[in-house]
């Protein structure tokens, strides 16, 4: 596989990043030799930016891509792959000294997808575990 990433600033207050990985995982030396390992996508990627709106207020937007992959327990690679998905999350945070107060929105565009699914050895059963719909989080953290 290969991994690559880059961070750069467009302006003094805008930090952007991009990273991706490509991996080709296969079984070796057994009945499934040469088949792809289930639940492991070939492609993964993240891109985003952090905008410093002021010296204490930040806005972050992050996009996440996960490529298609075989279901858990599909060592034979006999069932159709789970579809890829792409989500976008956002976070507004206020930081003062060691305290951060934040409000986040996950899966902003309410993408419907399953992070993983399971099948049986014959491929006749398919159990999907849906990912959360758009959701919100509010929190406070303190750094020691």
């Amino acid at each position: 596989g290969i991994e690559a990433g880059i961070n750069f600033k467009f302006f003094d207050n805008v930090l952007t990043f991009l990273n991706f990985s490509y991996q080709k995982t296969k079984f070796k030396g057994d009945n499934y030799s040469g088949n792809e390992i289930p639940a492991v996508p070939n492609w993964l990627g993240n891109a985003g930016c952090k905008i410093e709106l002021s010296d204490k207020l930040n806005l972050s937007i992050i996009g996440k891509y996960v490529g298609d992959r075989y279901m858990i327990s599909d060592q034979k690679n006999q069932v159709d792959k789970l579809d890829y998905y792409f989500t976008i999350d956002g976070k507004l945070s206020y930081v003062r000294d060691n305290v951060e107060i934040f409000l986040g929105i996950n899966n902003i565009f309410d993408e419907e997808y399953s992070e993983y699914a399971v099948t049986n050895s014959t491929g006749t059963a398919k159990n999907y575990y849906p990912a959360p719909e758009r959701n919100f989080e509010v929190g406070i953290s303190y750094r020691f």
Side-chain angles (χ1 to χ4, degrees):
I2 185 171
E3 291 184 23
I6 186 170
N7 295 317
F8 51 96
K9 281 191 168 189
F10 277 116
F11 305 101
D12 286 340
N13 65 331
V14 180
L15 174 67
T16 58
F17 70 90
L18 171 67
N19 60 60
F20 76 93
S21 66
Y22 173 78
Q23 53 193 355
K24 195 69 170 176
T25 58
K26 294 189 179 241
F27 287 106
K28 185 177 177 181
D30 64 5
N31 294 339
Y32 308 114
S33 186
N35 289 3
E36 291 185 34
I37 296 175
V40 180
N42 296 130
W43 291 96
L44 293 168
N46 294 289
C49 68
K50 177 182 175 184
I51 303 166
E52 295 173 353
L53 301 172
S54 72
D55 62 335
K56 294 181 178 31
L57 191 62
N58 300 309
L59 174 65
S60 300
I61 304 289
I62 299 172
K64 177 181 180 181
Y65 173 84
V66 176
D68 57 1
R69 62 246 173 256
Y70 286 103
M71 293 182 181
I72 295 171
S73 298
D74 187 13
Q75 289 87 342
K76 294 179 185 175
N77 296 170
Q78 62 188 352
V79 178
D80 290 338
K81 287 183 171 184
L82 283 170
D83 287 335
Y84 72 89
Y85 64 88
F86 179 75
T87 59
I88 296 179
D89 302 329
K91 181 179 176 182
L92 183 65
S93 60
Y94 176 80
V95 180
R96 182 169 177 188
D97 300 322
N98 295 340
V99 177
E100 177 186 23
I101 301 169
F102 61 89
L103 168 65
I105 305 173
N106 300 312
N107 195 4
I108 291 173
F109 296 106
D110 207 20
E111 181 74 19
E112 291 183 12
Y113 65 98
S114 291
E115 289 182 278
Y116 64 94
V118 179
T119 189
N120 58 6
S121 63
T122 60
T124 56
K126 298 176 186 175
N127 299 300
Y128 296 87
Y129 294 82
E133 299 171 344
R134 179 184 308 119
N135 61 86
F136 302 87
E137 61 183 351
V138 176
I140 186 168
S141 66
Y142 181 82
R143 293 180 190 247
F144 294 95

